Amino acid sequence: MKLFIKKNTYFFAPIIIVSLVLIVPFFLLDPFHIVKDYDKYYNSFVEYNEDYIATGKVLKSNNAYNSFMFGSSRVAGGFNIEYWKNKLSENDSAFKYAAAFESLFGIRGKMLMLDRIGNPIENVVICFDIDAVFGKLSNYKNHSLTKHPEVSGGNKRAFVATFLKDYIFSAFFIRYFDYLLFKTKRDYMSGYLFVEDWDYSEEYEPFCLLLRKEDMITKDSAGYYSSMSNNLYERDTIESMREKVITELGKQYLTDIKNIFDKHNTDYKIVINPLYDQLKINDEDLKILYHVFGNENVYDFSGKNRITDNKYNYYESSHFRPQVGKVILDSIY
């Protein structure tokens, strides 16, 4: 009996130690803010899952919003929600429902969720990043991009498990406790922690790093764009077309979205974002969008045009500035 206990002690001891050192602090400290329920989020050196925060706000709003703008961080940084409200009726309440590296899977999931919970959907603007949105037709498997369970159709346990997996197996916990204890930024933390000059008592503003770039341009435009000279590369003088990216499953997802629009009698606009690379959307993909949503509801800003020709419309080669969002909204309304 003693030998049996001794052998089992040797077997279970590592499991108990790992649980105490890694797993228990994960649930107690909740570094990603996804275990406990929060009414507000404050600035943090741990990157938030923007999809989770935004979806939580919608679910807690008691159907306070009836108008939604969907898209990626390009929508988050490139559109002013208050400016869009001016295009809507007085009684409309708008929400910028953006997520990092937003996918067609995510946009469809959000639309299905809104319909499922009985949320009114009066007005919608969907901004497609043609370089990315159609390439992901399933859920992300990494913690920063995985979808809220109400969007993905998954469950909360699996959602939390995704964070726990990355927390342990990417050695995130080492970086986390290092900074938590010693408050010293180290090179090996890059890409894992967002150690900025934060005021941790301030409420977190989604995609606030993009807003900081706008402040930098306001203070020193010449200096900012000089620092971006390598990133904002010279484009080809001849317009090229992207390869076709919309698959049969993608068409079905688009049709699912259109069916929800029809059910709610939604006033909707489909925008093809003006990307810095100036590649034109494939003709076949554009025809699909026209077929599903109607020519009059699809607005193509891809390729070479007055927006994309001007490098000062961009923070860097990935994100355009709010002045672009205003031009787009003025064009489609």
Side-chain angles (χ1 to χ4, degrees):
M1 185 65 179
K2 290 183 179 179
L3 181 61
F4 175 79
I5 295 174
K6 185 176 182 180
K7 285 182 177 180
N8 278 274
T9 300
Y10 287 142
F11 177 79
F12 287 109
I15 298 176
I16 294 172
I17 291 172
V18 169
S19 297
L20 291 174
V21 174
L22 298 181
I23 300 177
V24 172
F26 172 86
F27 285 96
L28 289 179
L29 298 177
D30 194 12
F32 300 105
H33 289 73
I34 48 88
V35 176
K36 305 171 187 175
D37 187 49
Y38 299 88
D39 291 325
K40 291 183 178 180
Y41 293 85
Y42 295 89
N43 289 334
S44 171
F45 61 88
V46 176
E47 180 185 16
Y48 288 122
N49 181 306
E50 299 283 3
D51 187 274
Y52 184 76
I53 291 179
T55 301
K57 287 182 178 179
V58 172
L59 292 171
K60 292 180 179 179
S61 71
N62 294 318
N63 298 347
Y65 306 107
N66 70 350
S67 304
F68 300 89
M69 182 176 288
F70 297 98
S72 69
S73 56
R74 289 163 175 158
V75 163
F79 286 87
N80 185 311
I81 199 70
E82 295 300 324
Y83 194 79
W84 184 39
K85 286 181 182 178
N86 294 330
K87 308 290 185 181
L88 307 178
S89 69
E90 185 178 348
N91 295 326
D92 288 327
S93 179
F95 184 77
K96 193 190 298 184
Y97 205 167
F101 292 95
E102 183 60 289
S103 63
L104 186 58
F105 173 85
I107 295 172
R108 171 182 175 269
K110 291 177 172 68
M111 290 293 301
L112 289 171
M113 182 199 76
L114 291 172
D115 178 57
R116 185 172 63 250
I117 65 176
N119 201 110
I121 311 173
E122 298 293 333
N123 306 281
V124 166
V125 173
I126 298 180
C127 298
F128 284 140
D129 297 328
I130 204 66
D131 63 336
V133 70
F134 295 103
K136 190 64 179 173
L137 301 179
S138 58
N139 199 6
Y140 287 102
K141 295 183 179 180
N142 63 310
H143 73 274
S144 61
L145 299 179
T146 191
K147 297 299 177 184
H148 191 292
E150 291 292 335
V151 172
S152 69
N155 61 71
K156 183 64 180 288
R157 287 184 178 180
F159 178 78
V160 172
T162 299
F163 285 79
L164 182 59
K165 171 181 65 68
D166 287 355
Y167 170 81
I168 295 174
F169 294 108
S170 71
F172 178 93
F173 71 93
I174 296 176
R175 298 163 174 86
Y176 172 71
F177 282 112
D178 184 353
Y179 189 78
L180 186 68
L181 294 173
F182 301 106
K183 297 296 187 293
T184 301
K185 183 178 181 180
R186 310 184 201 280
D187 291 341
Y188 84 115
M189 296 175 180
S190 178
Y192 292 84
L193 301 180
F194 280 80
V195 183
E196 301 286 337
D197 184 23
W198 299 117
D199 180 349
Y200 294 110
S201 65
E202 287 185 355
E203 189 171 351
Y204 175 74
E205 187 168 3
F207 298 98
C208 54
L209 291 179
L210 290 174
L211 303 179
R212 286 191 170 196
K213 291 181 180 181
E214 190 65 34
D215 291 338
M216 293 168 66
I217 293 173
T218 301
K219 293 176 182 177
D220 184 9
S221 177
Y224 178 87
Y225 281 102
S226 176
S227 70
M228 288 289 112
S229 58
N230 290 331
N231 184 277
L232 292 169
Y233 55 87
E234 291 295 324
R235 280 78 56 85
D236 200 323
T237 56
I238 301 174
E239 183 179 78
S240 298
M241 183 180 293
R242 293 187 184 279
E243 294 185 1
K244 186 176 183 299
V245 293
I246 301 179
T247 62
E248 287 300 317
L249 181 58
K251 281 193 277 187
Q252 182 57 57
Y253 281 8
L254 292 170
T255 302
D256 292 342
I257 292 171
K258 175 60 164 55
N259 289 339
I260 295 174
F261 288 158
D262 291 343
K263 178 180 178 180
H264 290 261
N265 196 26
T266 306
D267 180 14
Y268 62 90
K269 316 285 185 184
I270 307 299
V271 172
I272 310 302
N273 276 337
L275 305 186
Y276 186 79
D277 62 19
Q278 294 192 309
L279 294 177
K280 189 71 174 174
I281 182 175
N282 186 277
D283 286 341
E284 292 301 312
D285 288 336
L286 190 58
K287 287 178 183 177
I288 291 171
L289 293 175
Y290 284 155
H291 176 73
V292 174
F293 297 107
N295 294 37
E296 69 281 6
N297 297 310
V298 178
Y299 303 85
D300 177 21
F301 294 92
S302 68
K304 297 182 72 66
N305 53 57
R306 64 190 179 98
I307 294 175
T308 60
D309 281 341
N310 184 359
K311 72 175 184 179
Y312 299 106
N313 280 333
Y314 297 84
Y315 292 124
E316 8 72 8
S317 59
S318 293
H319 298 95
F320 51 82
R321 297 172 59 193
Q323 62 209 42
V324 172
K326 288 182 178 180
V327 170
I328 291 174
L329 290 173
D330 287 341
S331 299
I332 69 178
Y333 282 97

PDB file of all heavy atoms in Angstrom, residues 7 30 100 264 321:
ATOM      1  N   LYS A   7       4.220   5.603  -5.481  1.00  0.00           N
ATOM      2  CA  LYS A   7       4.251   5.673  -6.930  1.00  0.00           C
ATOM      3  C   LYS A   7       3.255   6.714  -7.450  1.00  0.00           C
ATOM      4  O   LYS A   7       3.546   7.474  -8.369  1.00  0.00           O
ATOM      5  CB  LYS A   7       3.928   4.308  -7.533  1.00  0.00           C
ATOM      6  CG  LYS A   7       5.067   3.300  -7.430  1.00  0.00           C
ATOM      7  CD  LYS A   7       4.687   1.996  -8.103  1.00  0.00           C
ATOM      8  CE  LYS A   7       5.846   1.002  -8.062  1.00  0.00           C
ATOM      9  NZ  LYS A   7       5.483  -0.281  -8.730  1.00  0.00           N
ATOM     10  N   ASP A  30      -6.640  36.085 -14.209  1.00  0.00           N
ATOM     11  CA  ASP A  30      -7.374  36.329 -15.450  1.00  0.00           C
ATOM     12  C   ASP A  30      -6.649  37.363 -16.325  1.00  0.00           C
ATOM     13  O   ASP A  30      -7.205  38.432 -16.632  1.00  0.00           O
ATOM     14  CB  ASP A  30      -8.790  36.814 -15.120  1.00  0.00           C
ATOM     15  CG  ASP A  30      -9.713  36.762 -16.329  1.00  0.00           C
ATOM     16  OD1 ASP A  30      -9.345  36.146 -17.345  1.00  0.00           O
ATOM     17  OD2 ASP A  30     -10.811  37.354 -16.252  1.00  0.00           O
ATOM     18  N   ALA A 100      -9.919  42.446 -34.928  1.00  0.00           N
ATOM     19  CA  ALA A 100      -8.636  42.299 -35.612  1.00  0.00           C
ATOM     20  C   ALA A 100      -8.695  41.140 -36.598  1.00  0.00           C
ATOM     21  O   ALA A 100      -9.221  40.075 -36.282  1.00  0.00           O
ATOM     22  CB  ALA A 100      -7.526  42.075 -34.586  1.00  0.00           C
ATOM     23  N   HIS A 264     -34.738  41.332 -41.934  1.00  0.00           N
ATOM     24  CA  HIS A 264     -34.852  42.529 -41.089  1.00  0.00           C
ATOM     25  C   HIS A 264     -35.121  43.794 -41.906  1.00  0.00           C
ATOM     26  O   HIS A 264     -35.189  44.881 -41.315  1.00  0.00           O
ATOM     27  CB  HIS A 264     -33.582  42.702 -40.263  1.00  0.00           C
ATOM     28  CG  HIS A 264     -33.405  41.672 -39.181  1.00  0.00           C
ATOM     29  ND1 HIS A 264     -33.727  41.911 -37.866  1.00  0.00           N
ATOM     30  CD2 HIS A 264     -32.969  40.386 -39.234  1.00  0.00           C
ATOM     31  CE1 HIS A 264     -33.479  40.816 -37.145  1.00  0.00           C
ATOM     32  NE2 HIS A 264     -33.015  39.883 -37.955  1.00  0.00           N
ATOM     33  N   ARG A 321      -6.530  56.177 -42.755  1.00  0.00           N
ATOM     34  CA  ARG A 321      -6.882  57.131 -41.703  1.00  0.00           C
ATOM     35  C   ARG A 321      -8.369  57.513 -41.757  1.00  0.00           C
ATOM     36  O   ARG A 321      -9.047  57.245 -42.748  1.00  0.00           O
ATOM     37  CB  ARG A 321      -5.998  58.378 -41.841  1.00  0.00           C
ATOM     38  CG  ARG A 321      -4.512  58.099 -41.638  1.00  0.00           C
ATOM     39  CD  ARG A 321      -3.668  59.313 -41.979  1.00  0.00           C
ATOM     40  NE  ARG A 321      -4.031  60.459 -41.159  1.00  0.00           N
ATOM     41  CZ  ARG A 321      -3.634  61.723 -41.422  1.00  0.00           C
ATOM     42  NH1 ARG A 321      -2.903  61.979 -42.491  1.00  0.00           N
ATOM     43  NH2 ARG A 321      -4.002  62.705 -40.625  1.00  0.00           N
TER      44      ARG A 321
END
